[in-house]
Amino acid sequence: MTGTGIGAPVRRKEDQRFITGAGRYTDDLSRPGQAHAYFLRSPHAHAKILSIDTAAARAMPGVVAILTGDDLAADKIGGLICGWMIHSKDGSPMKAGPHPALAQGKVRYVGDHVAVVIADTYAQARDAAEAIEVAYEVLPAVVDARAAQKAGAPQVHDVADDNTVFRWHLGDKASTDAAFARAAHVTKIDLVNNRLVPNPMEPRAAVGEYDPGNESYTLFTTSQNPHVARLVLSAFIGVAPEHKLRVIAPDVGGGFGSKIFIYAEETVCVWAARKVGRPVRWTSDRTEAFLSDAHGRDHATHAELAMDENGKIIGLRAQTIANLGAYLSTFSSSVPTYLYAPLLSGSYDIPAIYAEVDGVYTNTAPVDAYRGAGRPEATFVVERLVEVAARELGMDPAKFRKRNYVKRFPHQTPVIMTYDAGDYGASMDKALELADYKGFSRRKRESARRGKLRGIGFSSYIEACGIAPSQAVGSLGAGVGLWESAEVRVNPTGSIEVLTGSHSHGQGHETTFAQLVCDRLGVPIENVIIVHGDTDKVQFGMGTYGSRSGAVGMSAIAKAIDKVIVKGKKVAAHVLEAAEADIEFKDGKFTVAGTDRGVGFADVALQAYIAHKFSGQDLEPGLKEGAFYDPTNFTFPAGVHICELEIDPDTGVTTIERWTAVDDFGVIINPMIVEGQVHGGIAQGVGQALHEGAIYDESGQLVTASFMDYRMPRAADLPSFQVGMTVTPCPSNPLGIKGCGEAGAIAAPAAVMNAITDALGHEDIAMPATPQAVWRAAQKNAAMRVAAE
Amino acid sequence: MAIVNMTVNGRAVTADIDPRMLLVQFVRENLRLTGTHVGCDTSQCGSCVLHVDGQAVKACTVLAIQADGSSVTTIEGLSAAGGELHPMQAAFREHHGLQCGYCTPGMIMAAIDIVNRKGHALDETTIRDELEGNLCRCTGYHNIVKAVAAGAEAMGREPIRQAAE
Amino acid sequence: MYAFTYHKPSSVRQAAAMLAKNEDAKLLAGGHTLLPTMKQRLASPSALIDLGAMPELKGIERKGRSVVIGAMTRHGEVAESAVVREAIPGLAELAELIGDPHVRHRGTIGGSVANNDPSADYPAALLALDATVITNKRKIAADEFFQGLFVTALEEGEIVTKVSFPVAQKAAYAKFRNPASRYALAGVFVAKRGSDVRVAVTGASENGVFRWTAAEEALKARFTAKSLEGMAPSPDGMIGDIHADSAYRAHLVGVMARRAVQAATSR
């Protein structure tokens, strides 16, 4: 490890611009001649559009154009797509309804896009939108997925007659049922995984531009994966040809999944820019974000765990109904299926697992990946089941987990995954020590003396990250491959530009990726720049989500660096007049083995470009290498989080007193950044468990459509976290990285709810465990105590 | 339209504006000082915090015209371009108090305001309570709290700079 | 926001004249309720009359047995005022619980009182401390001033200029914040002056701030939190929303009342 190499807590290179206000986010751009777009959105959850009268609005000051779904259809612009095909258990393909960027004939959720007004100023566009007269025939709406499947429920899409997009399953039902038949004990639980709104602090924004001279388009957008946006906008939506569309995702203020997807607004901005002959910009306000960003989670699950007489888990089965919202968002179908059920084995050796998942349309905003995407839902099921099972069996929850952990690797689960490496017991032991588990009962008594209820809860999560290999995801229905690309350009002066298909929106790639280059090529970190987020600069990439940028994106860079070293050796051989096989590269220097003769990396770079020392026919000039890296397996970060909290039974307020996280992310490039990712993930997980929940009323209005009603975690809600690490290198990629971006959000909800139920002494509480919910549960708790006495 | 005069980051500015223009719009759109951000419509997230006459305010809930005659400091005004960072800016970098950077200008401006009101020795509870009006979705606040404590202390070691702020 | 004209008079008299001339005009104090409402296009005044340029509306002073606070005094100024901290610490503590530091730098007592939002904090203090609202026309006792949701005794063209708080022997405020908005979900101000005890509740009732007379009677017998043990107002008429239904709100009023008494008696 050098001062700036792998393993060093290097301070972030990108911070200079952010702490001085010099960051450049999409809304910070100002384009010459720009016009402003405002979307007229449906006030109804479900309605037929009988007519749209824009005449009065068109006559308003500053209005440039008003466009509707009819205009989209006339221009043959296709609908938004869902890129992952799921087949039902009967073999039929999922039932995907049309998803036009502007509604055509029908609106299906509050916030659905009815028309766009383009005007000289934002205020004018908004004023004119109020003058558009839309005649709706309001239809009954359904917001709950279970209700949507019932006979007679309002039908969201014609293609799905019971609103069911798919009835999917995974695992072996017969062997699982057999395991339950011979079980000594069965634990059963019903869980709701509450619907969340991702709420990155930067709202979505887009600027579309058209250059008539080159017939080319540019889209600036708040995207986690600009190349995929370009591919979908060109190949599927057909708004512009791929080679004539440049997508730039500049600084992006957080994503958490919600900026993976290709949305109506960015589609319309590109399309409209050509129609009006001016750049068209749109920035979401927060209420629009609540209404129209893809939401997360929203599962209802019944799950059961079977144990033998020794407390060994022998089977797990789960039935889940997943609310997918009114349309299938870009990756929505994969989240409650292949990103969920394959993780139902958790960290445990469970010989038989069977899961059934129904994906259901409702009159709510589309639901798609949100930090963790499927894996938090799976972890919540497994870790709540395991905790409750331990309580029912009268076993210590830590001991019960350790008894059932997977202990030998590789381990094939009954649900697709082959866990490659881990040491779950080591994480648990370290977490127990850091959390002072032994001292808990003393602390609980002390709380009780103050009239408070104290609880402790575990979450021994596992996740599958990297989301690769391409062949594997292709066989599971993915529409794309999930490799990553990189190009390492060494300049004649020895400075280095790394082009990556990953995208940083808070993760610190400009630092960690440079650390890798530093480590491998021995160049100063200030001589390395990471280029990302522009399809004109980076040839292709799959973007950042699923904790994949380290394991997959950096592996691609490592592969390209290896090629640079190979080429560098050839150049050095000429410079040093030695055989290529005798050249070694170490610490930034090419040397002839066994001699003190050598040449520095920067000199080799210069020689590669001036090509004075070798024939350009025998060896191509230049020093630039690219690589596509497709991993051999998912990666499996795992760890143990322990939450200790205190409940005030008078008010129902829950205070998190201690949080211990011990994670195994494999090899760590920058521990400072990794710990930061853990902190942020925990906060979002705690948010889900205690505070956050998107609530629709029965008519389909989003009740929680602003920060006035949707409860975000604040600084005073959280303690400082105690974060520890264990390391088992990942054998499936050249760097040994597993990924860390989602772990906290995956682990935290179960840890909190296990602690709350521990404090209460019963399981009858759902997320979010708001003060009201906890107070009510504590009332029941008190009633139970009275009954027992 | 209405004429507004104010001093922004030490520079006198005059503009003829629509009275409904918010202070945050004025600094972002008219002055192109885009470091001050907008993260909500309900005066809650604190992404837009800047200082008016030395006090932290939410610039999304102040009309530009209300700041007539005032002295405004934005994140861009804390340190000269290419110059030495304000100790609170430096502390945010040193303690990894930011990830995506979007809430960061508001956080830093709020943090300096906390120090101005509460002094240089800030405990964790005080910092967390005082950050009531600033939301961050990335960091879980852990490192922001550390950064504010360290920045507060550093500000106490630099009396000249603090007086200038 | 819809378009409006902007005026910044230099005296209350001028402001009143402008208000009289333009019935769609609204007074702009701290703006922290009005501007968000206008941004959401839920209010569309044709003119805003900014009260920010009048020294006569600012300041905090001790006048005999009262503390008088100018209408344009910011929450933060009240929270940090040595005069208020010394005379009625509970009032300073209430001000410190309003919104967040940035909001407290702008929001004003006059704006809060004139708006009479059912979840605002100040109305509870005025009612419990038996304060007097002073306008450009008259003096109004708090008991007469607050008349229901967003409704006050203020007449057309009437402008709040000051609020006068009689000093209490014991006074404190306990607030349960709405988890999301941070407004009062149940806020209780208790005050004891001589044999009189007043308990005012904000954030909870569908009719806005109110005096909880049963609690007052109990506390008159003995001013201790124990006197309120097990007490809560009836859930009938309490606000019910996603954060707190009426039963939970009523319960919280009882808890906050006890905590306020505890705070008042422990200093």
Side-chain angles (χ1 to χ4, degrees):
Chain A
M1 176 177 117
T2 67
T4 55
I6 290 174
V10 179
R11 300 306 185 257
R12 299 201 319 172
K13 287 161 70 83
E14 45 271 81
D15 284 359
Q16 177 70 24
R17 65 178 186 275
F18 295 132
I19 58 181
T20 56
R24 286 291 170 266
Y25 301 88
T26 301
D27 187 62
D28 297 342
L29 301 167
S30 178
R31 310 299 293 174
Q34 66 188 6
H36 297 256
Y38 181 80
F39 285 83
L40 178 67
R41 296 175 184 277
S42 172
H44 305 294
H46 199 192
K48 280 186 188 154
I49 298 175
L50 302 177
S51 66
I52 304 176
D53 183 352
T54 61
R58 273 174 213 277
M60 305 251 309
V63 173
V64 177
I66 298 176
L67 302 170
T68 68
D70 287 348
D71 299 300
L72 273 178
D75 284 2
K76 299 192 166 50
I77 304 297
L80 307 179
I81 60 155
C82 177
W84 199 303
M85 172 53 73
I86 296 298
H87 287 87
S88 287
K89 37 191 155 177
D90 66 5
S92 62
M94 66 184 187
K95 296 162 181 165
H99 188 182
L102 296 171
Q104 292 170 348
K106 200 177 178 194
V107 285
R108 295 181 172 86
Y109 68 102
V110 172
D112 205 353
H113 314 71
V114 175
V116 63
V117 182
I118 297 157
D120 291 337
T121 69
Y122 171 81
Q124 288 169 336
R126 196 164 168 181
D127 288 344
E130 289 183 6
I132 297 174
E133 287 181 27
V134 185
Y136 293 103
E137 179 191 332
V138 178
L139 304 170
V142 63
V143 298
D144 178 81
R146 287 161 290 187
Q149 286 189 306
K150 293 203 172 115
Q155 194 170 332
V156 182
H157 285 275
D158 294 344
V159 292
D161 50 13
D162 54 359
N163 291 317
T164 303
V165 182
F166 51 76
R167 294 179 190 278
W168 177 86
H169 67 160
L170 185 68
D172 185 343
K173 185 173 191 308
S175 67
T176 306
D177 287 347
F180 276 84
R182 67 168 189 279
H185 183 82
V186 172
T187 292
K188 300 179 180 183
I189 194 163
D190 287 287
L191 298 168
V192 169
N193 206 285
N194 43 326
R195 177 185 278 244
L196 303 176
V197 183
N199 277 319
M201 292 317 300
E202 180 206 27
R204 286 190 297 118
V207 185
E209 285 183 8
Y210 179 68
D211 174 354
N214 297 317
E215 297 178 318
S216 65
Y217 300 79
T218 303
L219 170 66
F220 299 90
T221 184
T222 49
S223 174
Q224 299 177 222
N225 50 346
H227 291 88
V228 177
R230 182 177 68 155
L231 178 65
V232 171
L233 286 166
S234 57
F236 297 95
I237 301 174
V239 76
E242 191 173 15
H243 63 298
K244 298 253 180 170
L245 173 60
R246 177 182 186 184
V247 178
I248 301 171
D251 286 329
V252 173
F256 315 113
S258 68
K259 293 172 180 167
I260 299 172
F261 323 120
I262 289 72
Y263 286 95
E265 293 89 353
E266 50 202 351
T267 304
V268 167
C269 283
V270 178
W271 168 64
R274 180 174 181 174
K275 290 190 87 73
V276 304
R278 291 168 64 175
V280 173
R281 67 178 296 150
W282 167 80
T283 299
S284 173
D285 66 27
R286 183 56 62 184
T287 291
E288 284 185 284
F290 271 102
L291 293 175
S292 69
D293 287 5
H295 294 180
R297 321 281 192 254
D298 206 343
H299 284 195
T301 296
H302 174 78
E304 302 183 354
L305 195 67
M307 273 75 60
D308 70 11
E309 54 285 345
N310 301 315
K312 169 81 187 68
I313 302 170
I314 56 173
L316 182 152
R317 59 190 174 199
Q319 292 169 304
T320 293
I321 298 174
N323 190 337
L324 300 177
Y327 300 98
L328 296 186
S329 173
T330 316
F331 291 109
S332 60
S333 56
S334 66
V335 176
T337 52
Y338 287 109
L339 296 180
Y340 165 69
L343 276 303
L344 285 173
S345 195
S347 313
Y348 309 104
D349 179 11
I350 306 179
I353 298 174
Y354 180 66
E356 293 172 293
V357 181
D358 288 3
V360 180
Y361 278 130
T362 60
N363 295 112
T364 62
V367 179
D368 206 324
Y370 168 59
R371 201 170 194 170
R375 290 151 289 163
E377 295 91 319
T379 298
F380 191 63
V381 169
V382 174
E383 289 302 299
R384 287 288 290 126
L385 264 179
V386 165
E387 191 89 14
V388 173
R391 287 171 188 165
E392 289 177 354
L393 295 173
M395 286 181 68
D396 177 85
K399 281 198 185 117
F400 180 71
R401 283 178 170 84
K402 285 173 79 169
R403 176 174 301 181
N404 284 288
Y405 275 154
V406 170
K407 294 179 188 81
R408 277 192 295 277
F409 297 87
H411 170 82
Q412 177 64 52
T413 75
V415 277
I416 301 177
M417 296 302 186
T418 308
Y419 298 167
D420 51 6
D423 186 345
Y424 310 142
S427 297
M428 176 60 92
D429 290 342
K430 189 165 179 179
L432 291 173
E433 194 188 318
L434 287 176
D436 183 25
Y437 186 51
K438 285 186 186 137
F440 172 71
S441 52
R442 179 177 48 77
R443 296 192 292 275
K444 189 177 173 80
R445 283 195 301 276
E446 196 276 323
S447 294
R449 274 196 291 276
R450 289 182 288 110
K452 303 288 181 4
L453 308 171
R454 200 175 190 96
I456 194 164
F458 295 82
S459 181
S460 183
Y461 74 97
I462 189 168
E463 53 167 328
C465 292
I467 314 193
S470 300
Q471 210 171 29
V473 296
S475 73
L476 303 178
V480 289
L482 287 168
W483 43 266
E484 195 47 86
S485 82
E487 190 176 309
V488 176
R489 296 177 179 172
V490 183
N491 296 320
T493 59
S495 67
I496 297 171
E497 293 157 35
V498 176
L499 285 67
T500 170
S502 298
H503 184 275
S504 187
H505 30 279
Q507 296 88 343
H509 296 171
E510 290 171 42
T511 306
T512 46
F513 289 12
Q515 285 180 256
L516 170 64
V517 177
C518 238
D519 197 88
R520 292 292 164 96
L521 294 179
V523 297
I525 197 162
E526 55 272 18
N527 288 4
V528 182
I529 186 168
I530 307 299
V531 178
H532 66 100
D534 183 343
T535 60
D536 262 16
K537 292 181 179 168
V538 180
Q539 188 253 330
F540 206 89
M542 297 310 299
T544 288
Y545 40 83
S547 307
R548 67 193 305 275
S549 301
V552 188
M554 285 180 83
S555 291
I557 297 171
K559 209 172 149 189
I561 290 172
D562 288 345
K563 292 184 187 178
V564 165
I565 294 170
V566 168
K567 174 79 179 281
K569 282 182 179 173
K570 290 184 204 290
V571 176
H574 286 282
V575 174
L576 296 168
E577 297 176 333
E580 188 190 327
D582 291 338
I583 304 291
E584 291 174 344
F585 180 70
K586 204 182 161 203
D587 297 335
K589 201 168 177 191
F590 294 91
T591 52
V592 181
T595 75
D596 58 358
R597 291 169 56 228
V599 56
F601 181 78
D603 290 330
V604 165
L606 181 64
Q607 291 297 334
Y609 283 96
I610 62 175
H612 293 169
K613 301 278 186 182
F614 56 88
S615 151
Q617 275 72 49
D618 296 338
L619 178 62
E620 284 181 23
L623 194 53
K624 177 184 92 169
E625 299 290 346
F628 286 72
Y629 174 75
D630 202 356
T632 56
N633 192 356
F634 291 83
T635 67
F636 297 96
V640 175
H641 286 222
I642 302 177
C643 169
E644 189 171 323
L645 50 74
E646 199 177 75
I647 290 170
D648 176 353
D650 281 347
T651 58
V653 169
T654 299
T655 308
I656 294 178
E657 296 290 337
R658 300 159 76 102
W659 195 284
T660 307
V662 175
D663 300 286
D664 178 358
F665 297 134
V667 172
I668 286 169
I669 306 294
N670 184 324
M672 176 190 81
I673 288 176
V674 166
E675 287 181 15
Q677 290 291 311
V678 174
H679 300 156
I682 294 168
Q684 287 182 356
V686 169
Q688 166 159 35
L690 294 182
H691 309 305
E692 300 178 43
I695 299 171
Y696 285 92
D697 70 14
E698 281 186 8
S699 72
Q701 295 295 329
L702 183 61
V703 179
T704 52
S706 81
F707 292 147
M708 291 289 278
D709 297 300
Y710 188 90
R711 183 7 174 148
M712 292 279 280
R714 292 175 156 81
D717 297 327
L718 297 160
S720 285
F721 310 112
Q722 188 154 32
V723 177
M725 302 283 167
T726 58
V727 177
T728 59
C730 175
S732 310
N733 62 60
L735 297 171
I737 293 174
K738 295 185 181 180
C740 64
E742 296 159 296
I746 291 169
V752 174
M753 296 311 288
N754 285 337
I756 286 188
T757 50
D758 179 51
L760 291 172
H762 64 81
E763 309 295 333
D764 192 13
I765 185 162
M767 296 194 292
T770 62
Q772 172 169 242
V774 171
W775 175 71
R776 203 133 273 143
Q779 297 293 106
K780 177 178 170 168
N781 194 30
M784 281 165 45
R785 254 200 321 269
V786 170
E789 286 160 12
Chain B
M1 300 299 274
I3 304 287
V4 65
N5 291 289
M6 65 180 96
T7 305
V8 180
N9 299 334
R11 191 167 64 93
V13 295
T14 299
D16 192 9
I17 57 167
D18 185 335
R20 58 177 153 168
M21 175 171 262
L22 299 167
L23 182 56
V24 69
Q25 291 174 307
F26 183 70
V27 299
R28 284 180 58 79
E29 295 166 20
N30 284 35
L31 307 181
R32 298 298 303 148
L33 295 169
T34 54
T36 305
H37 299 143
V38 178
C40 76
D41 332 315
T42 51
S43 322
Q44 271 153 327
C45 77
S47 298
C48 65
V49 169
L50 45 68
H51 292 187
V52 174
D53 296 329
Q55 288 190 321
V57 304
K58 289 181 163 167
C60 72
T61 316
V62 178
L63 298 171
I65 192 81
Q66 283 180 285
D68 186 45
S70 294
S71 174
V72 172
T73 306
T74 70
I75 186 75
E76 291 92 343
L78 288 186
S79 54
E84 201 189 329
L85 293 171
H86 184 284
M88 192 58 79
Q89 290 173 311
F92 268 71
R93 178 166 65 188
E94 178 60 24
H95 294 277
H96 190 33
L98 63 150
Q99 291 183 22
C100 82
Y102 197 79
C103 76
T104 309
M107 283 286 178
I108 290 174
M109 299 311 285
I112 293 169
D113 183 70
I114 297 171
V115 179
N116 290 344
R117 287 181 292 109
K118 301 271 171 182
H120 301 283
L122 299 173
D123 63 35
E124 179 174 345
T125 306
T126 301
I127 295 170
R128 288 183 182 275
D129 287 345
E130 289 288 326
L131 289 175
E132 170 77 23
N134 293 78
L135 296 177
C136 169
R137 195 57 152 166
C138 294
T139 64
Y141 303 100
H142 179 110
N143 285 336
I144 290 178
V145 173
K146 275 167 60 180
V148 174
E153 205 194 316
M155 281 170 71
R157 290 197 302 268
E158 300 193 29
I160 299 159
R161 167 178 286 285
Q162 189 209 345
E165 220 286 299
Chain C
M1 255 187 246
Y2 297 105
F4 56 84
T5 58
Y6 173 84
H7 309 277
K8 197 169 188 177
S10 54
S11 69
V12 174
R13 184 187 293 267
Q14 254 183 6
M18 286 173 179
L19 207 50
K21 259 194 299 195
N22 188 340
E23 62 182 37
D24 289 336
K26 274 201 181 294
L27 297 172
L28 179 64
H32 272 50
T33 301
L34 181 57
L35 294 177
T37 312
M38 290 170 66
K39 281 164 69 180
Q40 289 179 67
R41 300 189 159 213
L42 299 173
S44 53
S46 60
L48 285 188
I49 300 166
D50 188 346
L51 301 177
M54 301 174 199
E56 59 188 298
L57 295 185
K58 288 181 183 153
I60 299 169
E61 57 180 333
R62 178 80 189 246
K63 272 193 175 170
R65 298 170 72 87
S66 293
V67 172
V68 181
I69 302 178
M72 283 298 288
T73 308
R74 317 278 180 187
H75 306 322
E77 291 166 348
V78 174
E80 285 168 21
S81 159
V83 172
V84 181
R85 290 242 164 231
E86 207 260 309
I88 319 174
L91 183 60
E93 286 160 13
L94 172 142
E96 194 156 32
L97 288 171
I98 301 174
D100 59 54
H102 324 309
V103 169
R104 294 196 287 274
H105 282 148
R106 299 294 301 180
T108 64
I109 186 169
S112 172
V113 167
N115 193 46
N116 192 17
D117 186 302
S119 303
D121 299 289
Y122 267 125
L126 267 70
L127 209 50
L129 288 166
D130 195 15
T132 302
V133 178
I134 301 163
T135 76
N136 56 335
K137 295 181 176 169
R138 57 185 167 141
K139 294 181 176 180
I140 310 167
D143 279 322
E144 276 81 55
F145 185 84
F146 300 108
Q147 302 187 342
L149 294 191
F150 300 102
V151 181
T152 67
L154 289 173
E155 292 164 359
E156 291 288 314
E158 192 167 14
I159 300 172
V160 175
T161 58
K162 290 182 172 68
V163 181
S164 176
F165 293 94
V167 175
Q169 283 144 348
K170 294 178 194 294
Y173 182 61
K175 174 182 184 178
F176 193 90
R177 286 177 161 134
N178 176 306
S181 74
R182 318 307 272 169
Y183 279 87
L185 192 149
V188 180
F189 202 107
V190 298
K192 176 174 171 22
R193 201 170 67 228
S195 60
D196 193 27
V197 174
R198 291 164 73 106
V199 178
V201 181
T202 188
S205 166
E206 287 174 340
N207 295 317
V209 67
F210 71 97
R211 282 175 63 186
W212 183 17
T213 46
E216 290 177 355
E217 293 309 316
L219 289 170
K220 274 179 197 166
R222 202 163 156 246
F223 194 77
T224 162
K226 272 216 158 65
S227 303
L228 301 179
E229 207 57 57
M231 281 181 72
S234 163
D236 294 340
M238 290 285 156
I239 299 169
D241 59 27
I242 56 171
H243 300 290
D245 62 20
S246 54
Y248 176 52
R249 245 192 187 82
H251 164 79
L252 284 177
V253 169
V255 177
M256 292 302 117
R258 287 190 284 279
R259 289 185 183 180
V261 174
Q262 196 111 51
T265 51
S266 64
R267 62 170 147 240

